[in-house]
Amino acid sequence: MNKHIISLLLENESGALSRVAGLFSARAYNIESLSVAPTDDATLSRMTIVTSGTDQIVEQIQKQLNKLVDVVKLVDLTESEHIARELMLAKVEAIGDARDEVKRLVDIFNGKVVDVTDTTYTVEITDTREKLDSFITSLSSIKIHEVVRSGAIGISSGENILAV
Amino acid sequence: MELTGAEIVVQSLIEEGVEHLFGYPGGAVLHIYDAIHQQEQLQHILVRHEQAATHAADGYARSTGKPGVVLVTSGPGATNAVTGIATAYMDSIPMVVLTGQVPRPLIGNDAFQEVDSVGITRPVVKHNFLVEDVKDLATIIKKAFYVATTGRPGPVVVDIPKDITAHKTEFSYPRDIKIRSYHPTTKGHSGQIKKAYELILEAKKPMIYTGGGVILSNASEELIKFTKLLGAPITNTLMGLGAYPANDKQFVGMLGMHGTYEANMAMHNSDVLIAIGARFDDRVTGNLEKFCPDARIVHVDIDPASISKNVTVDVPIVGDVKGVVIELNKLIEASDQRLEAAALSTWWQQIEEWRAQDCLKFNRDTGTIKPQFVVEQLHAVTEGNAFVTSDVGQHQMFAAQYYGFNKPRRWINSGGLGTMGFGLPAAIGVQIAHPGEQVACITGEGSIQMCIQELSTCLQYSTPVKIINLNNGFLGMVRQWQEFFYDRRYASSYVDALPDFVALAEAYGHIGIRIEKPEDVRQAIEDAFGKYKDRTVFLDFIIDKEENVYPMIPAGAGLNEMILV
Ligand SMILES: Cc1ncc(C[n+]2csc(CCOP(=O)(O)OP(=O)(O)O)c2C)c(N)n1
Ligand SMILES: [Mg+2]
């Protein structure tokens, strides 16, 4: 079972998202995260799917995705060098000593405190999934009220381009 | 000229060369029906249930190779059509289904007869569209036909809101269409074809295994040539019957769960397996762990996703079967290298020993009518040339095993979804496409009742189909499993309170004949195709109640572990 980040260009049409999501549930494929938004070309959406499975299953996932008429292009980013990032917003308790502690951790993780109240900090961090996980772990004694994560988005390194 | 959406639908279908349309009206499609009413090029066939519209269009498509076309209303019209759409999807049948939809301003409001047709059909279509502007209508219909008929074919749904059928726009039908996200691979890779050729020539125990893809690709002639050039044994799947003539020596019968002993043993023992337009379905492979343990495998298929899905293959070739087989034939013909003769002859000796088991033999002296015998007699009377549709159950397997199809597109059955109720409407579709030909529907008393209302359609359109009802009084295939695997506890498989099918056929205006003795079988079939040639005839054969389909591979077993008679 390996993790794969599959990036696709999709027709920006109503129903396209449900075709992809439906494919994963109908064929019982894993889906860890899925993020989608229009690109610079308004007719296209770019979707990043993080999935896992045996090589054989991941090959099927790619083939089945390619079969969807709305999928224009697809690449498995994990097959070569790539950059993957995920955005996290976390609202944590910030009272007494915790205020300094949270600030210190946020600095270490290159994040920002984007909203402040007497009792809470809202923190924004963009990094790899693993880094975000370790940020959460490092909060250990600090109470987390809420966590929102975008799911990964990714792009290949170097001059490889996914475009129509 | 400006046309209404409804007129555009009709004109677009005419532009596509559609001659027949199977459907059922309702509120959301009334504008379209009105437009159909005002022209004569396009003939509408009114069925009695929307499921039958899809099966009829499907039978039409399977027997002609042209896409079947369906028109149904919104809501219940669309949901009734779903079974037939799924049936076509599982067997890769080209079909365009137009569903009415509530007017756009009402969509999402739980309006009268509103369902999310695009959502409901999404997992069982190749693609679907919701028309959101009358200006897009002609292009979408063009795309629908293009997607349905190219690559691996399949059904496409076009959902058309009622207000759009009233809106007007300038009509011009697109000549060509390009979809940037849709490029079906059609030509096999020449390097892969060369590799396959080289592997094939190494075979000592070659086996050719072909499926519905050969029929969809119209590649029967090329396949025959290929098989003859190699001199290898060939088997067809349930979906592929007729692609290779059943009466030829090299044909070892159907394979799979109810395949012949010789076909399954030859598969199991082969050293090079050549799979063409077949998808290694679980009903074909049996237990995957035990499947063809010694074979290196070549797989030709137009759908990349079919390759190495269930069975990992050695030489995959993605492409249209016909083109690939033509290339293989060229390679073989260009050289004088052939399969090693001594090895091939030993292999054939072995196969002949398996064949000598005569696995399809059955007891002919029981005094009761045997279903196998009825199918044999149907073959004899029709000289193996009839179009035969079927439902699902034991009768379907008897039809596949005993009719002996010698031509493609003559055997029409729901292989993938296994839809009871398919047979009669499919036969109507076949007969509409082939008015002068002999069409039989081999069915059971369970299945026929799932779309029996279509007897009324038969009368309206004078489709003289012959219904061969193999009436065992049981949901026979269910009963067989209960006999084998549930200690004969026949839970709900005995069909009590059957109608008098003869009286029923007559009530619908047809000929009904009940046959209870083996000696009357031949005459009844001759009468159906002879003196009642132009009538719909319902032949109710009262057959042996507990006959089983043999051979059989039980669940979990390998192809070499068949139960024989
Ligand atoms: C719509 C549908 N429902 C249920 C089944 C399950 N099923 C498969 S075969 C069969 C029995 C069919 O009985 P009959 O038509 O009398 O044929 P026989 O097996 O007796 O020849 C059933 C219920 C099915 N294939 N399709
Ligand atoms: Mg029965």
Side-chain angles (χ1 to χ4, degrees):
Chain A
M1 291 283 274
N2 285 322
K3 186 161 296 175
H4 288 256
I5 303 176
I6 296 173
S7 192
L8 26 140
L9 285 173
L10 199 64
E11 293 291 352
N12 187 8
E13 272 173 18
S14 70
L17 170 61
S18 64
R19 287 182 213 282
V20 174
L23 173 68
F24 275 76
S25 62
R27 294 189 182 264
Y29 299 144
N30 276 323
I31 190 158
E32 284 183 20
S33 71
L34 181 157
S35 78
V36 60
T39 65
D40 56 320
D41 173 348
T43 67
L44 286 173
S45 300
R46 174 93 174 223
M47 181 183 278
T48 312
I49 299 171
V50 180
T51 181
S52 60
T54 60
D55 289 352
Q56 198 242 346
I57 288 176
V58 173
E59 184 185 324
Q60 268 298 309
I61 291 176
Q62 294 184 29
K63 285 174 168 179
Q64 295 291 349
L65 281 169
N66 260 320
K67 245 173 95 165
L68 295 178
V69 172
D70 284 336
V71 171
V72 185
K73 267 201 178 152
L74 175 156
V75 65
D76 182 349
L77 292 176
T78 25
E79 272 171 9
S80 57
E81 290 283 305
H82 63 278
I83 299 148
R85 291 289 180 271
E86 184 169 342
L87 168 68
M88 178 169 78
L89 295 172
K91 191 173 288 184
V92 300
E93 191 171 86
I95 300 172
D97 290 349
R99 289 184 87 84
D100 280 352
E101 175 65 5
V102 172
K103 183 72 181 74
R104 200 174 59 81
L105 284 170
V106 167
D107 286 344
I108 294 173
F109 281 87
N110 282 321
K112 289 189 278 195
V113 175
V114 291
D115 189 39
V116 178
T117 72
D118 289 350
T119 56
T120 65
Y121 279 168
T122 300
V123 174
E124 174 191 327
I125 306 181
T126 303
D127 212 314
T128 62
R129 172 194 184 95
E130 293 72 25
K131 276 281 173 53
L132 299 188
D133 288 344
S134 55
F135 174 76
I136 301 269
T137 320
S138 66
L139 286 173
S140 61
S141 63
I142 289 158
K143 187 164 193 297
I144 302 170
H145 292 305
E146 226 182 297
V147 171
V148 192
R149 295 170 66 152
S150 65
I153 58 169
I155 198 163
S156 53
S157 308
E159 290 178 349
N160 292 337
I161 288 165
L162 182 66
V164 284
Chain B
M1 201 175 90
E2 290 221 319
L3 298 184
T4 65
E7 290 161 345
I8 289 174
V9 169
V10 171
Q11 281 310 314
S12 300
L13 295 182
I14 292 171
E15 291 277 349
E16 284 294 334
V18 177
E19 292 166 44
H20 297 96
L21 167 72
F22 299 87
Y24 207 89
V29 286
L30 283 181
H31 294 320
I32 302 178
Y33 271 86
D34 195 45
I36 292 172
H37 192 71
Q38 295 178 39
Q39 54 82 52
E40 274 166 7
Q41 256 170 293
L42 189 63
Q43 196 197 346
H44 179 265
I45 311 291
L46 176 70
V47 294
R48 300 299 183 263
H49 185 297
E50 290 87 351
Q51 180 185 349
T54 51
H55 292 330
D58 184 327
Y60 187 94
R62 290 182 203 232
S63 65
T64 59
K66 295 193 279 187
V69 185
V70 176
L71 173 61
V72 296
T73 193
S74 67
T79 55
N80 272 351
V82 169
T83 299
I85 296 170
T87 302
Y89 179 68
M90 289 296 278
D91 291 341
S92 309
I93 304 305
M95 191 147 111
V96 172
V97 180
L98 309 174
T99 53
Q101 184 52 278
V102 301
R104 276 172 318 146
L106 295 186
I107 289 182
N109 285 352
D110 304 317
F112 177 63
Q113 296 196 325
E114 177 184 4
V115 294
D116 174 10
S117 299
V118 166
I120 287 177
T121 59
R122 197 193 60 233
V124 294
V125 293
K126 185 168 171 190
H127 196 57
N128 56 19
F129 298 91
L130 171 66
V131 184
E132 290 175 276
D133 187 331
V134 71
K135 291 197 188 71
D136 302 334
L137 183 55
T139 308
I140 287 178
I141 294 176
K142 179 83 187 176
K143 283 185 181 172
F145 277 89
Y146 173 59
V147 171
T149 55
T150 51
R152 178 178 180 172
V156 175
V157 165
V158 181
D159 199 27
I160 312 174
K162 184 171 186 179
D163 54 330
I164 284 184
T165 60
H167 293 171
K168 283 191 164 183
T169 191
E170 201 62 39
F171 174 70
S172 76
Y173 200 64
R175 287 183 64 84
D176 294 305
I177 201 86
K178 254 190 144 159
I179 304 179
R180 66 175 168 181
S181 55
Y182 177 72
H183 311 278
T185 317
T186 50
K187 205 169 169 312
H189 187 275
S190 58
Q192 288 298 97
I193 296 176
K194 186 85 198 303
K195 263 198 215 162
Y197 162 76
E198 281 159 7
L199 176 59
I200 291 167
L201 284 183
E202 285 172 28
K204 296 197 161 34
K205 300 172 177 180
M207 181 67 181
I208 305 170
Y209 142 58
T210 78
V214 175
I215 291 170
L216 292 167
S217 170
N218 295 315
S220 185
E221 251 176 66
E222 291 75 11
L223 176 70
I224 294 170
K225 182 164 177 189
F226 175 72
T227 309
K228 290 285 160 200
L229 280 170
L230 286 183
I234 177 166
T235 180
N236 292 161
T237 67
L238 179 68
M239 291 311 299
L241 291 174
Y244 192 87
N247 60 9
D248 185 87
K249 271 300 260 185
Q250 280 170 256
F251 187 65
V252 295
M254 178 172 80
L255 83 164
M257 181 172 273
H258 293 297
T260 65
Y261 186 63
E262 52 271 35
N264 286 336
M265 290 302 278
M267 286 290 290
H268 187 80
N269 289 281
S270 64
D271 66 349
V272 173
L273 180 64
I274 308 157
I276 307 179
R279 60 186 178 91
F280 297 86
D281 177 80
D282 54 274
R283 284 294 190 264
V284 154
T285 60
N287 187 335
L288 280 175
E289 314 249 292
K290 301 178 183 173
F291 181 72
C292 294
D294 304 324
R296 283 178 296 165
I297 304 177
V298 173
H299 187 190
V300 186
D301 203 292
I302 198 160
D303 178 7
S306 281
I307 289 179
S308 294
K309 182 176 68 177
N310 301 335
V311 171
T312 312
V313 302
D314 301 271
V315 185
I317 305 175
V318 178
D320 182 32
V321 163
K322 188 176 185 129
V324 173
V325 179
I326 288 177
E327 289 306 311
L328 281 170
N329 287 345
K330 277 193 200 154
L331 286 176
I332 301 171
E333 284 181 308
S335 121
D336 45 18
Q337 219 191 326
R338 291 291 181 272
L339 289 170
E340 191 193 310
L344 191 59
S345 126
T346 314
W347 179 226
W348 270 113
Q349 267 170 28
Q350 171 68 74
I351 291 169
E352 290 309 333
E353 273 170 41
W354 290 323
R355 189 156 21 207
Q357 281 265 348
D358 195 10
C359 69
L360 294 181
K361 64 179 175 277
F362 58 93
N363 186 352
R364 292 167 188 271
D365 308 319
T366 52
T368 52
I369 300 179
K370 288 288 182 180
Q372 301 94 322
F373 175 69
V374 177
V375 177
E376 275 182 1
Q377 293 303 307
L378 177 68
H379 175 100
V381 172
T382 58
E383 295 173 350
N385 286 324
F387 287 87
V388 177
T389 72
S390 176
D391 273 296
V392 177
Q394 293 182 317
H395 61 271
Q396 174 192 26
M397 292 301 125
F398 290 132
Q401 292 173 324
Y402 293 88
Y403 188 81
F405 292 90
N406 295 323
K407 293 182 195 159
R409 299 197 181 279
R410 303 268 155 155
W411 166 237
I412 311 250
N413 87 128
S414 165
L417 196 67
T419 310
M420 290 171 69
F422 176 80
L424 177 57
I428 294 172
V430 172
Q431 190 81 77
I432 297 276
H434 305 273
E437 301 273 351
Q438 296 176 331
V439 181
C441 165
I442 298 182
T443 184
E445 80 299 327
S447 295
I448 192 68
Q449 292 189 81
M450 285 215 182
C451 271
I452 191 87
Q453 76 285 347
E454 297 310 315
L455 284 173
S456 175
T457 311
C458 289
L459 189 68
Q460 181 165 351
Y461 297 96
S462 307
T463 49
V465 304
K466 314 304 175 201
I467 295 153
I468 312 290
N469 190 34
L470 299 179
N471 186 345
N472 51 11
F474 274 108
L475 302 176
M477 188 57 94
V478 173
R479 187 206 56 72
Q480 177 169 345
W481 281 61
Q482 291 168 335
E483 176 184 333
F484 287 12
F485 310 118
Y486 296 87
D487 276 334
R488 293 182 176 258
R489 289 186 301 277
Y490 291 163
S492 296
S493 56
Y494 174 62
V495 188
D496 208 351
L498 284 175
D500 175 343
F501 285 111
V502 170
L504 187 68
E506 285 168 356
Y508 274 108
H510 305 306
I511 306 285
I513 305 172
R514 181 169 305 110
I515 304 98
E516 290 171 289
K517 293 201 276 298
E519 55 272 29
D520 297 335
V521 168
R522 178 66 175 243
Q523 191 58 51
I525 299 175
E526 279 179 2
D527 286 350
F529 288 98
K531 76 174 164 189
Y532 302 125
K533 183 167 156 297
D534 300 324
R535 303 286 300 274
T536 302
V537 182
F538 195 115
L539 298 177
D540 188 24
F541 292 96
I542 308 303
I543 62 162
D544 211 325
K545 281 185 128 27
E546 297 195 42
E547 183 61 308
N548 287 323
V549 181
Y550 293 110
M552 177 171 182
I553 300 172
L559 290 186
N560 58 334
E561 300 169 314
M562 269 160 285
I563 307 175
L564 298 170
V565 203

